[in-house]
PDB file of all heavy atoms in Angstrom:
ATOM      1  N   GLN A  75     -10.094  -5.597  -2.899  1.00  0.00           N
ATOM      2  CA  GLN A  75     -11.107  -6.593  -2.577  1.00  0.00           C
ATOM      3  C   GLN A  75     -12.037  -5.932  -1.570  1.00  0.00           C
ATOM      4  O   GLN A  75     -11.584  -5.215  -0.678  1.00  0.00           O
ATOM      5  CB  GLN A  75     -10.481  -7.838  -1.957  1.00  0.00           C
ATOM      6  CG  GLN A  75      -9.640  -8.609  -2.943  1.00  0.00           C
ATOM      7  CD  GLN A  75      -9.025  -9.849  -2.311  1.00  0.00           C
ATOM      8  OE1 GLN A  75      -9.364 -10.244  -1.199  1.00  0.00           O
ATOM      9  NE2 GLN A  75      -8.113 -10.469  -3.023  1.00  0.00           N
ATOM     10  N   LEU A  76     -13.324  -6.172  -1.724  1.00  0.00           N
ATOM     11  CA  LEU A  76     -14.333  -5.533  -0.875  1.00  0.00           C
ATOM     12  C   LEU A  76     -15.298  -6.584  -0.357  1.00  0.00           C
ATOM     13  O   LEU A  76     -15.797  -7.411  -1.131  1.00  0.00           O
ATOM     14  CB  LEU A  76     -15.101  -4.488  -1.695  1.00  0.00           C
ATOM     15  CG  LEU A  76     -16.292  -3.817  -1.011  1.00  0.00           C
ATOM     16  CD1 LEU A  76     -15.823  -2.924   0.131  1.00  0.00           C
ATOM     17  CD2 LEU A  76     -17.086  -3.005  -2.029  1.00  0.00           C
ATOM     18  N   HIS A  77     -15.544  -6.546   0.941  1.00  0.00           N
ATOM     19  CA  HIS A  77     -16.595  -7.371   1.534  1.00  0.00           C
ATOM     20  C   HIS A  77     -17.697  -6.416   1.965  1.00  0.00           C
ATOM     21  O   HIS A  77     -17.448  -5.444   2.670  1.00  0.00           O
ATOM     22  CB  HIS A  77     -16.070  -8.157   2.742  1.00  0.00           C
ATOM     23  CG  HIS A  77     -17.161  -8.903   3.446  1.00  0.00           C
ATOM     24  ND1 HIS A  77     -17.674 -10.096   2.979  1.00  0.00           N
ATOM     25  CD2 HIS A  77     -17.865  -8.602   4.569  1.00  0.00           C
ATOM     26  CE1 HIS A  77     -18.633 -10.509   3.795  1.00  0.00           C
ATOM     27  NE2 HIS A  77     -18.765  -9.615   4.764  1.00  0.00           N
ATOM     28  N   LEU A  78     -18.912  -6.702   1.535  1.00  0.00           N
ATOM     29  CA  LEU A  78     -20.050  -5.832   1.798  1.00  0.00           C
ATOM     30  C   LEU A  78     -21.213  -6.673   2.288  1.00  0.00           C
ATOM     31  O   LEU A  78     -21.498  -7.738   1.713  1.00  0.00           O
ATOM     32  CB  LEU A  78     -20.431  -5.110   0.490  1.00  0.00           C
ATOM     33  CG  LEU A  78     -21.666  -4.254   0.477  1.00  0.00           C
ATOM     34  CD1 LEU A  78     -21.414  -2.975   1.265  1.00  0.00           C
ATOM     35  CD2 LEU A  78     -22.033  -3.906  -0.959  1.00  0.00           C
ATOM     36  N   GLU A  79     -21.872  -6.214   3.334  1.00  0.00           N
ATOM     37  CA  GLU A  79     -23.076  -6.870   3.831  1.00  0.00           C
ATOM     38  C   GLU A  79     -24.220  -5.877   3.700  1.00  0.00           C
ATOM     39  O   GLU A  79     -24.072  -4.708   4.058  1.00  0.00           O
ATOM     40  CB  GLU A  79     -22.884  -7.299   5.285  1.00  0.00           C
ATOM     41  CG  GLU A  79     -21.769  -8.319   5.442  1.00  0.00           C
ATOM     42  CD  GLU A  79     -21.407  -8.631   6.887  1.00  0.00           C
ATOM     43  OE1 GLU A  79     -22.097  -8.146   7.821  1.00  0.00           O
ATOM     44  OE2 GLU A  79     -20.411  -9.356   7.092  1.00  0.00           O
ATOM     45  N   TRP A  80     -25.347  -6.334   3.174  1.00  0.00           N
ATOM     46  CA  TRP A  80     -26.483  -5.455   2.965  1.00  0.00           C
ATOM     47  C   TRP A  80     -27.794  -6.216   3.135  1.00  0.00           C
ATOM     48  O   TRP A  80     -27.829  -7.438   3.055  1.00  0.00           O
ATOM     49  CB  TRP A  80     -26.439  -4.797   1.579  1.00  0.00           C
ATOM     50  CG  TRP A  80     -26.463  -5.739   0.408  1.00  0.00           C
ATOM     51  CD1 TRP A  80     -25.392  -6.373  -0.160  1.00  0.00           C
ATOM     52  CD2 TRP A  80     -27.617  -6.172  -0.333  1.00  0.00           C
ATOM     53  NE1 TRP A  80     -25.802  -7.158  -1.207  1.00  0.00           N
ATOM     54  CE2 TRP A  80     -27.172  -7.050  -1.347  1.00  0.00           C
ATOM     55  CE3 TRP A  80     -28.978  -5.889  -0.256  1.00  0.00           C
ATOM     56  CZ2 TRP A  80     -28.028  -7.656  -2.251  1.00  0.00           C
ATOM     57  CZ3 TRP A  80     -29.841  -6.492  -1.164  1.00  0.00           C
ATOM     58  CH2 TRP A  80     -29.355  -7.358  -2.146  1.00  0.00           C
ATOM     59  N   ALA A  81     -28.854  -5.471   3.377  1.00  0.00           N
ATOM     60  CA  ALA A  81     -30.196  -6.050   3.469  1.00  0.00           C
ATOM     61  C   ALA A  81     -31.169  -5.085   2.819  1.00  0.00           C
ATOM     62  O   ALA A  81     -31.043  -3.868   2.964  1.00  0.00           O
ATOM     63  CB  ALA A  81     -30.586  -6.306   4.917  1.00  0.00           C
ATOM     64  N   SER A  82     -32.131  -5.626   2.097  1.00  0.00           N
ATOM     65  CA  SER A  82     -33.203  -4.807   1.543  1.00  0.00           C
ATOM     66  C   SER A  82     -34.284  -4.646   2.616  1.00  0.00           C
ATOM     67  O   SER A  82     -34.277  -5.356   3.618  1.00  0.00           O
ATOM     68  CB  SER A  82     -33.768  -5.463   0.278  1.00  0.00           C
ATOM     69  OG  SER A  82     -34.268  -6.748   0.567  1.00  0.00           O
ATOM     70  N   PRO A  83     -35.212  -3.711   2.421  1.00  0.00           N
ATOM     71  CA  PRO A  83     -36.255  -3.508   3.441  1.00  0.00           C
ATOM     72  C   PRO A  83     -37.057  -4.785   3.719  1.00  0.00           C
ATOM     73  O   PRO A  83     -37.306  -5.587   2.815  1.00  0.00           O
ATOM     74  CB  PRO A  83     -37.150  -2.435   2.817  1.00  0.00           C
ATOM     75  CG  PRO A  83     -36.247  -1.693   1.879  1.00  0.00           C
ATOM     76  CD  PRO A  83     -35.315  -2.749   1.330  1.00  0.00           C
ATOM     77  N   VAL A  84     -37.469  -4.947   4.974  1.00  0.00           N
ATOM     78  CA  VAL A  84     -38.272  -6.093   5.386  1.00  0.00           C
ATOM     79  C   VAL A  84     -39.636  -6.039   4.703  1.00  0.00           C
ATOM     80  O   VAL A  84     -40.132  -7.037   4.196  1.00  0.00           O
ATOM     81  CB  VAL A  84     -38.438  -6.124   6.927  1.00  0.00           C
ATOM     82  CG1 VAL A  84     -39.407  -7.205   7.355  1.00  0.00           C
ATOM     83  CG2 VAL A  84     -37.096  -6.307   7.608  1.00  0.00           C
ATOM     84  N   GLU A  85     -40.229  -4.862   4.699  1.00  0.00           N
ATOM     85  CA  GLU A  85     -41.545  -4.689   4.077  1.00  0.00           C
ATOM     86  C   GLU A  85     -41.377  -4.501   2.574  1.00  0.00           C
ATOM     87  O   GLU A  85     -40.681  -3.590   2.127  1.00  0.00           O
ATOM     88  CB  GLU A  85     -42.258  -3.479   4.675  1.00  0.00           C
ATOM     89  CG  GLU A  85     -43.661  -3.301   4.175  1.00  0.00           C
ATOM     90  CD  GLU A  85     -44.351  -2.086   4.783  1.00  0.00           C
ATOM     91  OE1 GLU A  85     -43.849  -1.548   5.782  1.00  0.00           O
ATOM     92  OE2 GLU A  85     -45.386  -1.687   4.237  1.00  0.00           O
ATOM     93  N   VAL A  86     -41.993  -5.378   1.807  1.00  0.00           N
ATOM     94  CA  VAL A  86     -41.898  -5.321   0.349  1.00  0.00           C
ATOM     95  C   VAL A  86     -42.868  -4.259  -0.166  1.00  0.00           C
ATOM     96  O   VAL A  86     -44.070  -4.331   0.074  1.00  0.00           O
ATOM     97  CB  VAL A  86     -42.217  -6.692  -0.292  1.00  0.00           C
ATOM     98  CG1 VAL A  86     -42.243  -6.587  -1.802  1.00  0.00           C
ATOM     99  CG2 VAL A  86     -41.202  -7.726   0.176  1.00  0.00           C
ATOM    100  N   LYS A  87     -42.302  -3.276  -0.853  1.00  0.00           N
ATOM    101  CA  LYS A  87     -43.093  -2.236  -1.505  1.00  0.00           C
ATOM    102  C   LYS A  87     -42.575  -2.106  -2.927  1.00  0.00           C
ATOM    103  O   LYS A  87     -41.373  -2.034  -3.147  1.00  0.00           O
ATOM    104  CB  LYS A  87     -42.936  -0.887  -0.796  1.00  0.00           C
ATOM    105  CG  LYS A  87     -43.541  -0.829   0.575  1.00  0.00           C
ATOM    106  CD  LYS A  87     -43.366   0.565   1.164  1.00  0.00           C
ATOM    107  CE  LYS A  87     -43.939   0.639   2.558  1.00  0.00           C
ATOM    108  NZ  LYS A  87     -43.736   1.958   3.154  1.00  0.00           N
ATOM    109  N   GLY A  88     -43.479  -2.064  -3.882  1.00  0.00           N
ATOM    110  CA  GLY A  88     -43.080  -1.882  -5.265  1.00  0.00           C
ATOM    111  C   GLY A  88     -42.666  -3.178  -5.924  1.00  0.00           C
ATOM    112  O   GLY A  88     -42.774  -4.265  -5.360  1.00  0.00           O
ATOM    113  N   ASN A  89     -42.170  -3.032  -7.164  1.00  0.00           N
ATOM    114  CA  ASN A  89     -41.686  -4.182  -7.908  1.00  0.00           C
ATOM    115  C   ASN A  89     -40.567  -3.729  -8.827  1.00  0.00           C
ATOM    116  O   ASN A  89     -40.239  -2.547  -8.895  1.00  0.00           O
ATOM    117  CB  ASN A  89     -42.821  -4.850  -8.694  1.00  0.00           C
ATOM    118  CG  ASN A  89     -43.501  -3.878  -9.634  1.00  0.00           C
ATOM    119  OD1 ASN A  89     -42.875  -3.039 -10.267  1.00  0.00           O
ATOM    120  ND2 ASN A  89     -44.807  -3.966  -9.720  1.00  0.00           N
ATOM    121  N   SER A  90     -39.954  -4.675  -9.498  1.00  0.00           N
ATOM    122  CA  SER A  90     -38.847  -4.432 -10.409  1.00  0.00           C
ATOM    123  C   SER A  90     -37.778  -3.573  -9.725  1.00  0.00           C
ATOM    124  O   SER A  90     -37.324  -3.920  -8.641  1.00  0.00           O
ATOM    125  CB  SER A  90     -39.344  -3.800 -11.716  1.00  0.00           C
ATOM    126  OG  SER A  90     -38.288  -3.700 -12.653  1.00  0.00           O
ATOM    127  N   GLN A  91     -37.406  -2.444 -10.322  1.00  0.00           N
ATOM    128  CA  GLN A  91     -36.349  -1.593  -9.780  1.00  0.00           C
ATOM    129  C   GLN A  91     -36.812  -0.768  -8.579  1.00  0.00           C
ATOM    130  O   GLN A  91     -36.015  -0.063  -7.963  1.00  0.00           O
ATOM    131  CB  GLN A  91     -35.807  -0.677 -10.873  1.00  0.00           C
ATOM    132  CG  GLN A  91     -35.102  -1.427 -11.994  1.00  0.00           C
ATOM    133  CD  GLN A  91     -33.829  -2.085 -11.527  1.00  0.00           C
ATOM    134  OE1 GLN A  91     -32.888  -1.417 -11.106  1.00  0.00           O
ATOM    135  NE2 GLN A  91     -33.780  -3.404 -11.605  1.00  0.00           N
ATOM    136  N   GLY A  92     -38.082  -0.864  -8.214  1.00  0.00           N
ATOM    137  CA  GLY A  92     -38.613  -0.109  -7.081  1.00  0.00           C
ATOM    138  C   GLY A  92     -38.515  -0.831  -5.750  1.00  0.00           C
ATOM    139  O   GLY A  92     -39.135  -0.424  -4.784  1.00  0.00           O
TER     140      GLY A  92
END
Side-chain angles (χ1 to χ4, degrees):
Q75 292 180 10
L76 174 68
H77 174 79
L78 174 73
E79 297 172 6
W80 60 275
S82 59
V84 173
E85 185 180 345
V86 175
K87 292 182 181 178
N89 57 39
S90 186
Q91 295 293 297

